[in-house]
Structure formats: C-alpha cells, structure tokens
Amino acid sequence: KMNNDDIKRSKTLSKALRHDPARLGLRPDRAGWVDVDVLLKACAARGLRIDRADLERVVATNDKQRFAFNEDQTRIRASQGHTIDIDLGLEPLAPPEILFHGTAAGFVASIFEHGLLRGGRNHVHLSAEVGTALKVGARHGKPFVFEVAAAEMARAGHAFFRSDNGVWLVEHVPAEFLRGQAAV
Ligand code: HQG
C-alpha cells in the first residue's frame, strides 16, 4: 500500500500526465508520453521531491496501475483518464457482453436522457467488474451502477478500447445501450 508521500506524488503525476502538463513545463508527445529525465528535472525545479526510485515505486505500487513506462523505461504516461488531447494508440478490442459504469444517483436521469458523455475526458470509462464501477460511482455521491450492453454496442459499430490498466474506453454510450441498474 502506498504511503502518504507516494499518494501525493501519484496525484502530482496524474495532474501532470493527464490534465495539466504545461504547469510543469511538460509537452507530452502525441501518445501522451513524457521523457522521464525531463519530468524529474521539471519536478525538481519546482521543489517537488521525487527521484527515479520514487517514480519506479509509485508506478509499481499504484493502486489502479495508473502510470506506465515505455519498453526501455525512458518515458512515462498515464494509461487512461486524460483530459489533454492525446491518442493512446490502442487497438479496438471486442468487449465482453456486459460492462459497468458507476455514477452518482443524481446523474441517472440525465444519463438515461443523453447517454454516457465523456465530459472533459477523452473517453467514457467502463469497468468489467461491477465492484470497480461501484467504487467509481461512490466518488461522486450515492452510487448507481449502469449495465452497458457492450457487445451489442460493438456490433452496432462502436469502437471499444482497453487501457493498459484494464479500463474499458468508448467515446460515448448512447442511452439505448444502457440496461439500468446492475445487481451489486
Ligand atoms: C457522469 C477514476 C450527467 C459520469 C475512475 C461521471 C475512473 C453524466 C461523471 C475515472 C453524463 C464524470 C473516470 C450525463 C456521464 N449526464 N452526468 N449524460 N454522462 N456523466 O470523473 O467515470 O482514480 O470524468 O457518470 O476510476 O467517474 O482518476 O468520470 O459520474 O476510471 O485514476 O459524469 O476516474 O480514475 O466524472 O471516472 P469523471 P468517471 P482515477
């Protein structure tokens, strides 16, 4: 389990790699990768205490495996969750019959009307596990877990992707593919 310093480092990384790289003077490439040395120098220049060993530990122990190194470990990116305009370069993949999306009860009526919208992020996030969706939903309030008819949606032509840390990603879930509340 991560200690508090590492949780802070993880949050700093999420912010820098998903949402606001410019704040650290970083310029992720098209696929969201940032050079590790550049990242560490940018952090040091701003008094953020993180060295190579810290980074490796945070990547390895992160509860949702949010970050990944490239093959030769010279670059790092967030595996999903971005609001910056990048292309993860994932190949479309056939989803399981059903996927889950956890949200707050207060959003349910709007979701039945408009479907699931990606908001500021690049994708709508879906989970293969109902328990994961329940936790995601609880971040926003009283949780409600939608069942999504994923396989049917794929057959209708929607592309599904799975991030390196196992989150299913789609651009939009039209309301017709929502199957109401999952048994949790
Ligand atoms: C809701 C975490 C009204 C949607 C998690 C959600 C996830 C609508 C909220 C990742 C709507 C957006 C993403 C509509 C969608 N009307 N509300 N039509 N369509 N919404 O945080 O999926 O810890 O951007 O249901 O594990 O909650 O950050 O998305 O409640 O994988 O690594 O709008 O964030 O990962 O909220 O969470 P978010 P999310 P990390």
Side-chain angles (χ1 to χ4, degrees):
K1 199 165 183 300
M2 285 202 293
N3 64 37
N4 284 342
D5 284 346
D6 278 358
I7 291 172
K8 250 185 238 161
R9 291 184 178 106
S10 174
K11 290 191 170 170
T12 301
L13 286 175
S14 278
K15 184 102 199 274
L17 297 175
R18 289 173 167 177
H19 307 304
D20 195 7
R23 200 171 129 134
L24 287 183
L26 300 170
R27 288 168 50 102
D29 74 7
R30 190 71 203 111
W33 296 104
V34 166
D35 188 272
V36 170
D37 293 329
V38 172
L39 171 69
L40 294 177
K41 278 188 190 126
C43 289
R46 285 158 186 82
L48 301 169
R49 283 186 29 240
I50 182 162
D51 61 19
R52 174 96 208 185
D54 294 329
L55 196 61
E56 282 174 10
R57 193 181 55 254
V58 168
V59 171
T61 61
N62 190 270
D63 58 346
K64 292 186 186 170
Q65 296 291 295
R66 290 180 177 85
F67 315 108
F69 289 113
N70 68 338
E71 222 157 273
D72 66 7
Q73 310 242 323
T74 56
R75 292 183 295 164
I76 186 170
R77 74 175 179 184
S79 291
Q80 39 72 227
H82 302 77
T83 53
I84 54 169
D85 178 26
I86 58 146
D87 177 356
L88 288 167
L90 301 170
E91 291 297 326
L93 190 66
E97 196 61 34
I98 297 287
L99 287 169
F100 301 97
H101 177 86
T103 190
F107 299 154
V108 169
S110 165
I111 292 171
F112 271 126
E113 187 178 347
H114 303 288
L116 287 168
L117 303 173
R118 62 199 176 92
R121 301 198 197 244
N122 290 339
H123 299 96
V124 171
H125 293 200
L126 305 172
S127 314
E129 315 280 328
V130 69
T132 306
L134 189 63
K135 278 189 221 152
V136 172
R139 289 158 58 245
H140 298 286
K142 181 177 182 294
F144 181 104
V145 177
F146 279 103
E147 267 187 35
V148 175
E152 191 184 325
M153 206 177 128
R155 284 193 294 272
H158 295 265
F160 282 73
F161 305 91
R162 193 175 56 197
S163 72
D164 291 340
N165 61 336
V167 178
W168 285 89
L169 305 170
V170 288
E171 203 168 295
H172 169 62
V173 177
E176 60 187 291
F177 299 108
L178 295 171
R179 291 292 172 272
Q181 183 154 33
V184 293

